[in-house]
Amino acid sequence: MFMPQETRRLAYRFLAVAALLIFFALALDTAGRKAVTTDEPLHLTHSIAMLQTGLMSIPEMHTPLTYQLIGRLLATEPPLPDVTALDSWPTLNPFVISRELIWRDDVATDRIVWLGRFVVAGMGVLLGALMAAWTWTLSRGHLPTVAGLLSLYALAPNLLASAALVTTDIAATLTWFLCIYTWWRYWQRPGWGRWLMAGVALGLALAAKLTGVLLLPITLILALLYQVRVGRWWHNLGIWAGMLPVAALILWALYNFDMRGVLPMPAYLEAWQLLLLEVDVSHANFFMGRVSPVGSWLYLPATLLLKNPLLQLALFLLIPLVLWWERRRWRTLIFLLLPAVFFLLVSAASRVNYGYRHALPAVPFLMVLGVLAIPRLWIRPIARVALVAGLGLTALSALAYHPDHLTYFNELVGGRGYHYLGDSNLDWGQDLNQLAAYAARYRSETGRPLHFSYTGVVDREHYGLAGLSLTEQFNRNESAFAPANPPAGRYAINTGDLQGTGLILGELRESDLFDWFRRQQPMETLGGSIFIYDVPRQADGTWMAHCAPDRLLNNEQAERLIGRGTLRHVEFDCRTNWVFPGGGPGWYVLPPEGTEWLGRRLGPDSPREVYRHRANAYGPDYVIVYWPGTPEAALGDNLQPFAGEGGGPATLRGFGAAGAEWVTFWEVIAATTEPLSVKAHLLAGDSPPQVADGLGFAANQWQPGDWFIQRHVFPAPGTTLETGLYNYVTLQAVSGPIRLVED
């Protein structure tokens, strides 16, 4: 349908203003409803210090643009405490200083946090305006394309999540896009004004985040690609090189022209040293269900796949088609493609697996490239309906997540995102206020305290959450919490602690402290990042069985794990034997591997793993397995019952065979001190018998009511097993012989 140019421009402006207002409203509403997150006290402290001292006085691997902007707004507020007068100032440690500064009674913490978030949200709005302007130009004023871009932008969960927090991520994303956009505009119609604007934008990008330095090779490559239009390549190189002093001057100005002797911007060099150290050291991260000390290059692709709306992913997949359809405009599209690809490749290669936010500067370029497929799709009725429906579903999903945009995962994983990704993809401590409110409500309704774990930097008492967390109790060795068998009660555990990384490096010292809860279904979540569990009762048992000969835990360590004392402890060789001491419930301490054979025999009635520990300073690799039932139930359909009487201190109750592997199932009738073994001679036709005698549960541990399974593995299958008990010293039979025929 034909629409006059002026009408289309008016419609474009209306759509742009509406989308920007929606984004701003959602970001500010989120900013007002979320607690202070892990990194925000650090960024606010830098902003205040720079406002008061005029310098980047505290060493940090960040650059000053965001701090300058926030500081300017904070300057309109009542004076804040002098940071240089704080007791912690001589340490020049931003974490220590922020703990003393941000949570003081004379600091309006919530107010300054909201003001800082207001600045960041404003930068998010500017980003949207730039994206809309470039899309309008590239699509030649195609309204459905611009509308699609603005809709995806206004409801983009990852942009909203970052725009609602005091971080440097939105500043980096905005200035990256601004730099490339202004550089593209210069090459479309070269002029001194546009060239100067591109130089200023490059300087702002360098001052937004250290990764802005990646724009230097990117802008150079883009300049050289225009040599056909301008002439000789060195001319383009000169234009690019002439822009560098402008960018450097802007960067230096944002450092307030700081000098150390003859060295300008010493804080910028220090920031690079700290960043390189951070990358070199590496830190624990959670990815695909595992905590790893090093990053994976697959992390970034997986993050983009799981945390982008499905319609956005579909448009990303159409980018190769867009490049083909618009191949005659490749010199324009390369301005969108190269920055995105370059940044994503560098991010993936760095293996800094901290979250989607580290890929954020690439996303606006991909979004604009993706929506350029809409003009071709819009002329097809089916594609048009699919696009409109996709936008509707995207809107419903985004609004359903509001204000929990940080925890967003698309429909590919649904509510199971915490199984795949962690850190700032999900839990940055943003729901502490909800945890405090829930704890107060639970105590008011039940009179009982809420057991909680939260390892963030935020002062919990600021939100009214008192008492030590489970993690703090464990670190102080003051906890009655049994990791493999928690006491009855209501528990709240933030995702970082549940996954094993914690919110602060080193605070969660035992990464598997909450492994028991990983196997449970939470009754509800708070903000998508804190899981609530109800433990109706603590499991009961009277014994613990340890896999021998190399025991993994001593008796005291094992009993502390399950919160029970004065238990009976037995040892058995779990590779060839399985025990059910006393016939009642109890626990096993096992190596992570080597007991798979039992599952083949017992099937669904196998003892259940309740806790798994990975080797660290608190112990080796091991698993805790619980048996709640009676040994007779283990017979099931996988073992054949045996009703005969063989005599001796143990009676055969069942057996089973699978190829060359046989098992015999015994009930202890009487205690004994004899050195016993189980005879296992396998017959097959006229061949000599195969021998696989053995007993993995020493007879001197037997008590009446014990049951055990003995495994016999032969070189080849057979049809008849001859078994019984015998004294392996005297070789005299104690029971049997019993002949068993495979059914």
Side-chain angles (χ1 to χ4, degrees):
M1 182 179 68
F2 174 76
M3 183 181 294
Q5 178 71 10
E6 285 304 315
T7 304
R8 282 194 295 124
R9 284 189 177 277
L10 184 63
Y12 157 66
R13 290 167 183 163
F14 174 80
L15 288 172
V17 170
L20 296 176
L21 287 176
I22 290 172
F23 181 92
F24 197 44
L26 291 174
L28 286 184
D29 185 56
T30 302
R33 294 166 65 177
K34 290 298 176 180
V36 180
T37 58
T38 299
D39 284 1
E40 286 184 292
L42 179 148
H43 294 306
L44 288 168
T45 298
H46 281 298
S47 301
I48 296 169
M50 195 158 199
L51 169 65
Q52 294 180 352
T53 68
L55 302 172
M56 284 283 288
S57 306
I58 306 172
E60 182 53 71
M61 57 182 180
H62 291 289
T63 42
L65 177 60
T66 301
Y67 305 146
Q68 287 277 23
L69 294 174
I70 293 175
R72 292 294 180 268
L73 186 57
L74 293 181
T76 65
E77 292 292 295
L80 292 163
D82 182 1
V83 292
T84 63
L86 299 176
D87 293 338
S88 56
W89 179 256
T91 68
L92 291 182
N93 184 316
F95 293 99
V96 176
I97 296 171
S98 67
R99 276 197 291 267
E100 182 180 357
L101 172 65
I102 301 300
W103 308 110
R104 290 167 57 113
D105 292 337
D106 57 348
V107 172
T109 301
D110 294 334
R111 172 71 176 171
I112 65 171
V113 169
W114 191 88
L115 289 173
R117 291 175 174 180
F118 179 87
V119 171
V120 177
M123 288 192 279
V125 171
L126 291 177
L127 171 64
L130 290 172
M131 293 169 64
W134 205 353
T135 303
W136 170 262
T137 302
L138 294 180
S139 67
R140 302 179 179 91
H142 189 256
L143 274 179
T145 299
V146 178
L149 181 280
L150 286 169
S151 299
L152 290 170
Y153 154 79
L155 301 170
N158 299 292
L159 290 176
L160 285 167
S162 291
L165 300 175
V166 180
T167 71
T168 58
D169 301 312
I170 282 292
T173 305
L174 167 64
T175 54
W176 262 69
F177 198 83
L178 175 65
C179 176
I180 299 299
Y181 177 56
T182 54
W183 196 225
W184 171 79
R185 289 184 77 247
Y186 168 77
W187 290 108
Q188 298 306 297
R189 196 173 67 204
W192 285 106
R194 293 191 174 197
W195 174 84
L196 182 62
M197 188 178 298
V200 171
L202 177 59
L204 293 174
L206 293 172
K209 209 165 189 176
L210 290 176
T211 49
V213 75
L214 297 176
L215 287 167
L216 297 178
I218 291 173
T219 51
L220 173 60
I221 293 171
L222 293 173
L224 294 177
L225 288 175
Y226 265 76
Q227 61 174 309
V228 175
R229 287 191 176 185
V230 179
R232 291 165 294 183
W233 65 267
W234 56 263
H235 186 275
N236 299 50
L237 178 62
I239 292 173
W240 174 83
M243 185 175 62
L244 299 185
V246 176
L249 185 63
I250 295 297
L251 177 62
W252 191 19
L254 287 165
Y255 276 98
N256 291 333
F257 299 105
D258 183 23
M259 294 282 293
R260 184 177 299 167
V262 296
L263 180 66
M265 300 182 295
Y268 186 70
L269 299 178
E270 290 174 352
W272 271 107
Q273 292 173 344
L274 291 171
L275 177 64
L276 294 175
L277 179 63
E278 177 84 1
V279 172
D280 185 59
V281 169
S282 186
H283 297 294
N285 61 88
F286 182 86
F287 180 50
M288 293 298 170
R290 297 176 59 88
V291 175
S292 173
V294 295
S296 167
W297 67 270
L298 290 173
Y299 182 90
L300 191 59
T303 303
L304 293 172
L305 177 66
L306 301 181
K307 285 190 67 69
N308 276 305
L310 293 182
L311 177 59
Q312 186 66 78
L313 284 177
L315 292 174
F316 286 171
L317 293 176
L318 291 177
I319 287 176
L321 287 178
V322 171
L323 297 175
W324 174 252
W325 291 334
E326 302 289 338
R327 57 190 179 276
R328 293 187 178 181
R329 292 200 293 167
W330 69 269
R331 283 192 178 87
T332 287
L333 297 186
I334 198 68
F335 277 81
L336 292 167
L337 182 65
L338 181 63
V341 172
F342 194 93
F343 187 83
L344 291 177
L345 288 176
V346 171
S347 298
S350 71
R351 300 190 181 185
V352 179
N353 296 169
Y354 288 165
Y356 185 103
R357 62 192 180 92
H358 285 282
L360 206 61
V363 172
F365 297 100
L366 296 176
M367 291 178 69
V368 174
L369 262 178
V371 298
L372 292 180
I374 292 179
R376 297 262 184 163
L377 299 176
W378 198 253
I379 59 177
R380 295 172 173 82
I382 295 178
R384 186 184 308 175
V385 171
L387 282 169
V388 173
L391 285 173
L393 292 174
T394 300
L396 290 175
S397 177
L399 294 176
Y401 263 91
H402 181 74
D404 304 321
H405 303 289
L406 192 67
T407 66
Y408 174 83
F409 283 88
N410 61 35
E411 290 76 9
L412 293 178
V413 292
R416 296 174 288 110
Y418 64 95
H419 289 301
Y420 304 97
L421 299 171
D423 205 273
S424 60
N425 291 306
L426 183 58
D427 180 18
W428 225 359
Q430 71 273 13
D431 294 311
L432 176 60
N433 52 347
Q434 292 193 54
L435 174 60
Y438 185 91
R441 187 167 62 252
Y442 180 72
R443 180 180 283 275
S444 174
E445 293 173 354
T446 66
R448 295 189 295 271
L450 177 73
H451 306 293
F452 70 91
S453 180
Y454 177 86
T455 54
V457 300
V458 175
D459 183 358
R460 296 194 299 267
E461 293 187 0
H462 176 76
Y463 294 102
L465 184 62
L468 294 176
S469 70
L470 293 170
T471 306
E472 289 169 329
Q473 294 174 42
F474 176 85
N475 291 345
R476 299 182 184 188
N477 201 25
E478 299 175 356
S479 177
F481 174 68
N485 188 27
R490 186 71 56 86
Y491 291 80
I493 304 173
N494 69 288
T495 310
D497 291 355
L498 183 69
Q499 293 173 333
T501 57
L503 289 171
I504 309 176
L505 296 174
E507 186 68 22
L508 181 66
R509 300 173 189 172
E510 173 54 273
S511 59
D512 291 315
L513 188 61
F514 302 108
D515 184 74
W516 187 90
F517 290 96
R518 296 170 188 164
R519 305 157 195 280
Q520 315 303 317
Q521 186 67 27
M523 59 184 294
E524 63 177 299
T525 63
L526 304 179
S529 72
I530 297 176
F531 292 179
I532 306 297
Y533 300 90
D534 192 65
V535 180
R537 64 180 183 85
Q538 192 173 35
D540 201 8
T542 59
W543 51 265
M544 295 198 79
H546 302 258
C547 185
D550 299 319
R551 281 188 58 163
L552 298 165
L553 300 174
N554 61 39
N555 292 356
E556 181 184 355
Q557 291 171 325
E559 291 182 355
R560 190 183 307 123
L561 273 172
I562 53 96
R564 288 287 187 267
T566 64
L567 299 177
R568 177 189 173 197
H569 291 264
V570 301
E571 296 181 1
F572 69 108
D573 184 351
C574 59
R575 295 164 298 181
T576 62
N577 184 277
W578 199 265
V579 298
F580 302 94
W587 293 267
Y588 302 89
V589 182
L590 307 172
E593 298 177 350
T595 61
E596 296 82 3
W597 66 271
L598 183 71
R600 296 194 298 268
R601 291 302 179 187
L602 301 186
D605 294 318
S606 295
R608 176 170 50 91
E609 181 179 312
V610 295
Y611 183 81
R612 180 175 289 259
H613 184 270
R614 290 161 290 190
N616 60 22
Y618 292 94
D621 288 319
Y622 62 84
V623 296
I624 303 296
V625 171
Y626 182 63
W627 173 253
T630 57
E632 295 92 327
L635 280 170
D637 298 328
N638 296 314
L639 296 175
Q640 300 177 47
F642 181 80
E645 293 293 335
T651 299
L652 184 68
R653 295 302 188 195
F655 69 97
E661 179 183 280
W662 287 66
V663 295
T664 51
F665 195 20
W666 303 81
E667 179 185 6
V668 175
I669 305 301
T672 181
T673 58
E674 280 195 86
L676 299 181
S677 184
V678 176
K679 176 183 178 181
H681 292 186
L682 186 62
L683 308 176
D686 297 330
S687 301
Q690 303 176 64
V691 178
D693 296 358
L695 177 60
F697 178 34
N700 60 5
Q701 300 181 92
W702 290 4
Q703 292 183 11
D706 291 349
W707 293 63
F708 65 89
I709 298 175
Q710 184 61 40
R711 181 189 185 206
H712 312 279
V713 180
F714 299 94
T719 57
T720 303
L721 179 71
E722 189 173 280
T723 188
L725 300 177
Y726 70 94
N727 185 311
Y728 64 78
V729 175
T730 66
L731 301 182
Q732 291 184 344
V734 175
S735 69
I738 303 170
R739 285 196 164 221
L740 306 173
V741 179
E742 181 181 7
D743 187 358

